[in-house]
Amino acid sequence: SLQQLSSALSAATTLAELQQLAPEITLFAKRLLGQGVQARQLTRLISHLNDRLTQRLLDLLAAQHKLSPHQACWIALGSEGREEQTIATDQDNALILQDSCDDALLSRWLAFAREANHALDSCGFPLCKGQVMASNPELCMTGGHWQARFGEWIDHGAPQDLLNASIFFDLRGLWGHLPLAQHLHQTIAVHAPQVPRFLKQLADNALLRAVPITWTGGLDTDKAGTIDLKQRGTAVFVDAARLYALANGVQEGNTRARLYAVGSK
């Protein structure tokens, strides 16, 4: 059951135990899918269990590295940040450090992040080919540096920069000192609606995705006769919800929650 699996993940004391439990998440999800559980509930349940595994892993590694969770916040990005993970998913994460972090402490957090990313890989969450992971020095920064990074994207980002950075606007604090992520969220929510150029560029990027429909109303498949339901299906709604949320200062991260929040304004 969900409760049994959650409890087992929270009680794990070694990486080996988490490696043994990780496949159970996939089996549990497949059983729910076979029982006809709706996509909204299924993705939330998968994300919840993946969160539990990641949180427990980070607890264990922080203790080994003698690092305090109060010094940093591990943030989930992309589909994990939106709590919309499916059965097959790679890693998208980053670290926000306290502004008081010095170079020596930063090196320790990077070592922690590298071990965490490889441990998650061993649990069935593949390393991100685009290096959108906390072990990337560009994504392991103090809160002040993250504020400046988002400010640059919003105020001066080129269309391609924003296309590459869209995943970061789906951030969610997952472990550690969560106010670090909350403060970043609040800053974005206030800043983004004030820059029409930024919103226009996001809209232009969103319109680059074409729905898989031909001019005759048929399905526009590839040579193999298939359709990428993520890139040409759900992503259309995800991009639109993100844009409307940023334009209206909504701090919700989940696509459905974003649309509901914007609709109530």
Side-chain angles (χ1 to χ4, degrees), residues 67-118:
L67 291 168
S68 169
H70 295 290
Q71 298 171 333
C73 179
W74 183 279
I75 57 175
L77 305 168
S79 60
E80 185 182 4
R82 298 191 304 272
E83 295 181 277
E84 294 169 359
Q85 285 189 303
T86 53
I87 293 174
T89 183
D90 63 357
Q91 294 185 51
D92 291 309
N93 46 60
L95 264 174
I96 307 175
L97 307 176
Q98 294 279 15
D99 286 334
S100 58
C101 179
D102 57 23
D103 290 343
L105 186 56
L106 172 61
S107 296
R108 292 174 60 196
W109 277 109
L110 278 171
F112 161 87
R114 283 193 294 271
E115 189 170 349
N117 286 146
H118 285 287

Side-chain angles (χ1 to χ4, degrees), residues 212 226-236:
T226 63
I227 296 172
D228 187 328
L229 292 178
K230 179 177 181 180
Q231 295 299 324
R232 303 192 66 191
T234 59
V236 175

Side-chain angles (χ1 to χ4, degrees), residues 142-184:
T142 64
H145 282 101
W146 276 112
Q147 297 277 353
R149 174 75 59 82
F150 275 94
E152 179 67 21
W153 282 330
I154 294 172
D155 289 330
H156 307 292
Q160 186 61 41
D161 294 332
L162 295 179
L163 189 62
N164 296 335
S166 61
I167 186 175
F168 293 93
F169 287 94
D170 295 339
L171 71 93
R172 176 170 62 92
L174 182 58
W175 173 89
H177 191 58
L178 299 185
L180 286 171
Q182 294 165 357
H183 181 56
L184 187 55

Side-chain angles (χ1 to χ4, degrees), residues 116-147:
N117 286 146
H118 285 287
L120 286 169
D121 181 46
S122 72
C123 289
F125 302 96
L127 298 172
C128 176
K129 295 179 180 178
Q131 295 299 307
V132 182
M133 295 181 294
S135 55
N136 180 348
E138 292 293 316
L139 304 181
C140 181
M141 304 186 295
T142 64
H145 282 101
W146 276 112
Q147 297 277 353

